[in-house]
Amino acid sequence: MSSNFRNRRADADERTSLLGRVGRDTTRAIVNAQHDSRFWVRYPARALRITERTLLSNYVNIFLVFVPIGIIAGATGWNPTVVFVLNFCAIIPLAALLSFATEEISVHVGETLGGLLNATFGNAVELIVSIVALKNNEIRIVQSSMLGSILSNILLVLGCCFIAGGVVKQEQDFNRTVASTMSSLMAVSSASLIIPATLYAVMTSSPESDRNILILSHGTAIILLILYIMYLVFQLKTHSNLFEASSESEHHTDPESANNEGQEDVNNGVQEEAEEDEHMSTWGAAGVLVLVTLLVAVCAEYLVDSIESVVETAHISKTFIGLILLPIVGNAAEHVTAVVVASKNKMDLALGVAIGSSMQIALLVTPFLVILGWIIGRDMTLHFEVFETVVFFLSVLVVNYLIQDGKSNYLEGAMLIGLYAIIALAFYVYPDVQNTSPPCINSTLGFLPGV
């Protein structure tokens, strides 16, 4: 019995080895063909290599099958709920591909421009969906999706990172200065939402209150964009040593882990030989980026158009869709990335993904949408409902308390996920309301003069 088992095991190993050699030989042949002098061989080989690297970049790319189905469903007028679900699933792998293509470009263009590209395309899905909704004058969808992206990153993603890291290590350390800087900027962004809500409550009897809130939002959006640009200069130029120090600490390993990594490098040597072109060319990555962005725009158009019907048939609010469901689509790739790096004891990188992405939404994407609404004639403001503003402020407050000591554990992660679950349940029963309903604001802020 034991000899038969060993024989079967040997046969399996031979088949696995043979399949591995065939795969490596195929990859090597494609790589060599990219440098062929004949253009009819060279360009198809390059296109095939780009396609291969793109499709194999992430496990979620298996959901790419929903992209053509979702587009066909939206173009041919299928049931709106079916269209919503199909395009919902289609955007998940497209978000992962956007992230992959942006990282490939960043390798070639340098640190500064790479940082700007990551800031621009890191939240491209949320931006595209929000632009489509803004074009359709769905202001509630835009506002709730922005707030939902922030909450999902600082509560759900960060909580999962703390738990994933806490399972591997009892307590994890991270750069307290960098985390404090990002959380302080998040506190400023929460203040930028509290001030318009409070001002609206004070000026609710004024006939020009909406116009004044719009003026305040436009001015605040410009200031937030300036603050974000200053943060980029702070991160990439003047105080880059703070971020470099955190990166160096992540690469510090003990002798045992270093020996293990060295042994893994030896074992994977043959496979690395086949990977002669580790990264795509700039033009290849740019082509993928443009194509995926167009597909996201098409799927987002059908997704937003079907929301109204989903609200009526499923009896859930637009606020819940924008605040809970859409961020799951846009942040799926970031969620996986943050949890994986946290499980490898790289908490500085995990915080950069979670809190950094939230900061981009608060200081870059949301102000940009306010300015864009100003340009195209849509009354997009920073005046969120009081309940939403309070939830945002409390979430930022809790995160600031948890990260101020520069340490994390699984219990803190459970706290963040628990708070996110409570918020999700609250918004599930929260009805869609208009910004022109001051009674609840007056009762909440009745102590203010003039209310």
Side-chain angles (χ1 to χ4, degrees):
M1 292 290 292
S2 60
S3 62
N4 291 336
F5 174 79
R6 285 194 297 270
N7 290 335
R8 289 196 299 269
R9 178 68 178 272
D11 292 341
D13 290 343
E14 287 183 6
R15 288 195 298 270
T16 303
S17 177
L18 179 60
L19 290 174
R21 288 197 300 271
V22 172
R24 289 193 295 271
D25 291 343
T26 303
T27 300
R28 190 177 292 109
I30 295 175
V31 171
N32 292 335
Q34 293 181 79
H35 307 288
D36 196 287
S37 59
R38 297 165 295 180
F39 71 88
W40 62 86
V41 175
R42 182 171 64 253
Y43 290 117
R46 290 179 179 176
L48 185 61
R49 181 60 176 155
I50 291 173
T51 303
E52 178 192 16
R53 285 191 55 81
T54 303
L55 293 179
L56 298 180
S57 62
N58 199 302
Y59 289 110
V60 300
N61 289 343
I62 192 173
F63 288 101
L64 284 172
V65 67
F66 290 104
V67 175
I69 300 176
I71 294 176
I72 293 173
T76 56
W78 290 14
N79 183 283
T81 303
V82 176
V83 173
F84 178 86
V85 173
L86 289 175
N87 285 282
F88 184 91
C89 296
I91 291 180
I92 294 176
L94 292 177
L97 291 181
L98 275 177
S99 176
F100 167 73
T102 304
E103 291 173 359
E104 291 291 315
I105 292 180
S106 300
V107 172
H108 301 284
V109 298
E111 183 181 10
T112 303
L113 186 55
L116 292 174
L117 284 173
N118 283 317
T120 304
F121 290 98
N123 296 297
V125 172
E126 295 96 325
L127 181 60
I128 294 172
V129 172
S130 297
I131 289 176
V132 173
L134 186 63
K135 178 178 67 72
N136 296 342
N137 205 29
E138 293 282 359
I139 305 299
R140 289 299 301 151
I141 293 293
V142 178
Q143 290 181 329
S144 58
S145 63
M146 292 296 98
L147 182 60
S149 295
I150 296 173
L151 293 178
S152 68
N153 276 297
I154 65 175
L155 296 180
L156 181 61
V157 180
L158 192 59
C160 291
C161 290
F162 285 175
I163 291 179
V167 171
V168 177
K169 192 175 180 181
Q170 185 176 16
E171 193 173 65
Q172 291 183 302
D173 301 324
F174 50 85
N175 190 317
R176 184 163 50 183
T177 303
V178 174
S180 176
T181 301
M182 291 190 291
S183 60
S184 298
L185 286 170
M186 287 299 300
V188 172
S189 66
S190 67
S192 70
L193 300 187
I194 293 174
I195 292 174
T198 308
L199 181 64
Y200 184 82
V202 174
M203 300 177 59
T204 187
S205 58
S206 172
E208 296 187 350
S209 59
D210 291 338
R211 177 176 173 273
N212 292 332
I213 292 296
L214 205 57
I215 294 174
L216 174 63
S217 298
H218 293 162
T220 304
I222 294 173
I223 294 171
L224 291 177
L225 287 174
I226 294 174
L227 284 177
Y228 184 77
I229 293 173
M230 293 180 66
Y231 171 73
L232 287 180
V233 175
F234 180 88
Q235 179 187 19
L236 301 176
K237 290 292 184 183
T238 61
H239 290 70
S240 59
N241 59 304
L242 296 176
F243 298 86
E244 290 171 358
S246 65
S247 178
E248 289 173 1
S249 66
E250 287 173 359
H251 288 88
H252 176 73
T253 56
D254 54 68
E256 182 179 354
S257 61
N259 290 336
N260 292 336
E261 289 178 1
Q263 184 63 36
E264 290 178 1
D265 291 340
V266 172
N267 294 337
N268 295 329
V270 178
Q271 183 176 355
E272 290 177 355
E273 289 179 1
E275 297 292 335
E276 295 179 9
D277 53 339
E278 184 180 356
H279 298 285
M280 289 193 297
S281 65
T282 304
W283 288 109
V288 173
L289 193 64
V290 171
L291 177 60
V292 174
T293 302
L294 292 176
L295 290 175
V296 170
V298 175
C299 293
E301 181 79 36
Y302 293 129
L303 183 75
V304 173
D305 289 342
S306 61
I307 286 179
E308 194 72 39
S309 177
V310 172
V311 169
E312 296 176 358
T313 56
H315 304 292
I316 55 179
S317 65
K318 290 182 181 180
T319 304
F320 181 80
I321 292 177
L323 200 137
I324 303 298
L325 297 183
L326 294 184
I328 294 176
V329 175
N331 297 326
E334 293 174 344
H335 290 192
V336 176
T337 300
V339 173
V340 169
V341 298
S343 65
K344 296 178 179 179
N345 198 30
K346 298 181 179 180
M347 282 306 300
D348 284 303
L349 181 56
L351 258 69
V353 173
I355 301 181
S357 179
S358 298
M359 193 177 60
Q360 290 172 6
I361 291 288
L363 299 180
L364 176 66
V365 178
T366 303
F368 169 77
L369 290 171
V370 172
I371 301 300
L372 181 62
W374 188 8
I375 295 173
I376 66 176
R378 297 287 187 268
D379 293 338
M380 172 66 188
T381 71
L382 293 175
H383 172 219
F384 288 63
E385 294 297 325
V386 171
F387 176 65
E388 299 169 358
T389 305
V390 170
V391 165
F392 182 32
F393 173 75
L394 292 177
S395 300
V396 172
L397 186 65
V398 170
V399 171
N400 285 351
Y401 274 126
L402 292 182
I403 67 175
Q404 65 182 355
D405 62 347
K407 301 178 185 296
S408 66
N409 54 63
Y410 73 90
L411 180 59
E412 292 179 344
M415 293 179 191
L416 294 177
I417 294 178
L419 178 58
Y420 184 78
I422 294 172
I423 292 173
L425 183 60
F427 277 105
Y428 180 75
V429 299
Y430 181 73
D432 279 324
V433 292
Q434 300 297 324
N435 284 340
T436 56
S437 53
C440 63
I441 300 177
N442 290 338
S443 61
T444 305
L445 302 173
F447 62 90
L448 294 173
V451 181

